[in-house]
């Protein structure tokens, strides 16, 4: 699709790539081919939307070729050192890309911005799911839970950095070499949370929403 920049990156040019509907179709096709990350991502429209928000590097509502390739690389990369370097680049760019380091505050800011982008996207996401005959979730309920999740970001990031220990423990900015060395030397399960936190958090949000609906 072609779309005029909607202001997310401060530009007014035309973006060319995958819109939300096209992106969802693409991920479902990859899931049918048995690619692990996309099987999980395609399980609900909310997780698809979260993935879209991560891949949309400029925030203009379109996932370009470069954003799609880099996002797939992060999700599918099995080499821990390369994955750590990709994560450092992602968080550094989220903070504006002016510094060569990534701090605890940069990670918190990236997580909070992602959740805010999710809240903006939810009406369109749920409309697409409704049109496709899928499960309908109350938009207001998801919006409230995403707000609550945003309030939990600080404690969540503090806990993860604390468990990673080493150079991460101080929360100060780390260059790519320090970051990579600390992440590669950490418990793999804890380190992976930095990659998959969005999926885990949003799956929890969906479960709470379903429990609320059943209680009514």
């Amino acid at each position: 699709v072609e779309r005029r920049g909607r202001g997310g990156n401060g530009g007014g040019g035309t973006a060319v790539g995958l819109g939300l509907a096209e992106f969802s179709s693409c991920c479902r096709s990859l899931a049918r081919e048995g690619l692990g990350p996309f099987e999980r991502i395609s399980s609900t429209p909310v997780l698809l939307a979260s993935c879209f928000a991560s891949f949309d590097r400029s925030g203009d509502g379109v996932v370009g070729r470069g954003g799609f390739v880099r996002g797939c690389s992060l999700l599918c990369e099995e080499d821990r050192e390369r994955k750590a370097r990709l994560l450092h680049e992602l968080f550094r760019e989220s903070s504006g890309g002016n510094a060569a380091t990534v701090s605890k505050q940069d990670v918190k800011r990236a997580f909070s911005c992602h959740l805010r982008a999710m809240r903006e996207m939810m009406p369109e996401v749920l409309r697409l799911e409704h049109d496709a005959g899928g499960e309908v979730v109350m938009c207001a309920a998801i919006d409230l839970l995403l707000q609550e999740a945003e309030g939990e970001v600080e404690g969540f990031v503090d806990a993860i950095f604390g468990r990673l220990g080493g150079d991460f423990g101080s929360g100060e900015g780390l260059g790519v070499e320090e970051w990579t060395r600390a992440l590669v030397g950490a418990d793999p399960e804890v380190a992976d949370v930095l990659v998959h936190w969005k999926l885990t958090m949003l799956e929890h949000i969906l479960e709470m929403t379903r429990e609320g609906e059943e209680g009514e």
Side-chain angles (χ1 to χ4, degrees):
V1 298
E2 289 190 14
R3 182 172 299 175
R4 295 290 296 177
R6 61 185 184 190
N9 61 355
T14 300
V16 180
L18 300 173
L20 180 58
E22 296 80 16
F23 180 83
S24 299
S25 177
C26 181
C27 287
R28 291 191 174 100
S29 294
L30 292 171
R32 286 192 294 270
E33 293 179 14
L35 294 180
F38 293 98
E39 289 183 281
R40 183 183 182 191
I41 290 165
S42 300
S43 62
T44 73
V46 178
L47 297 182
L48 271 168
S50 178
C51 189
F52 181 86
S54 297
F55 283 31
D56 180 10
R57 296 170 62 180
S58 58
D60 51 19
V62 174
V63 174
R65 178 184 178 88
F68 190 84
V69 170
R70 191 176 69 164
C72 288
S73 297
L74 182 58
L75 285 174
C76 301
E77 181 60 69
E78 296 183 357
D79 183 87
R80 296 184 66 195
E81 181 174 342
R82 286 198 292 269
K83 180 174 285 189
R85 291 178 181 278
L86 285 169
L87 266 177
H88 189 275
E89 181 185 358
L90 176 68
F91 287 127
R92 190 179 64 80
E93 288 187 1
S94 296
S95 66
N98 296 321
T101 60
V102 171
S103 68
K104 187 189 296 185
Q105 284 303 122
D106 293 330
V107 176
K108 290 177 180 178
R109 190 179 302 110
F111 286 5
S112 295
C113 289
H114 180 86
L115 290 169
R116 286 195 292 272
M118 285 292 302
R119 290 179 62 195
E120 293 178 3
M121 292 173 60
M122 285 317 302
E124 182 181 358
V125 171
L126 297 179
R127 179 185 61 77
L128 288 171
E129 182 68 3
H130 178 269
D131 292 346
E135 178 184 359
V136 177
V137 181
M138 290 292 292
C139 187
I142 291 291
D143 186 70
L144 178 61
L145 289 168
L146 286 172
Q147 285 186 61
E148 292 177 356
E150 192 174 337
E152 296 174 3
V153 163
E154 183 166 356
F156 175 81
V157 174
D158 285 342
I160 291 300
F161 269 58
R163 289 184 66 186
L164 285 169
D167 292 335
F168 279 89
S170 66
E172 299 298 325
L174 298 179
V176 64
E177 297 303 331
E178 297 170 296
W179 170 282
T180 301
R181 184 169 56 252
L183 206 56
V184 169
D187 181 341
E189 291 184 3
V190 178
D192 273 352
V193 172
L194 284 171
V195 179
H196 299 297
W197 75 275
K198 297 166 187 172
L199 303 184
T200 303
M201 178 179 285
L202 290 168
E203 284 170 342
H204 178 60
I205 288 172
L206 284 173
E207 186 60 33
M208 290 195 303
T209 303
R210 294 190 185 104
E211 289 174 358
E213 291 174 344
E214 290 172 1
E216 296 175 358

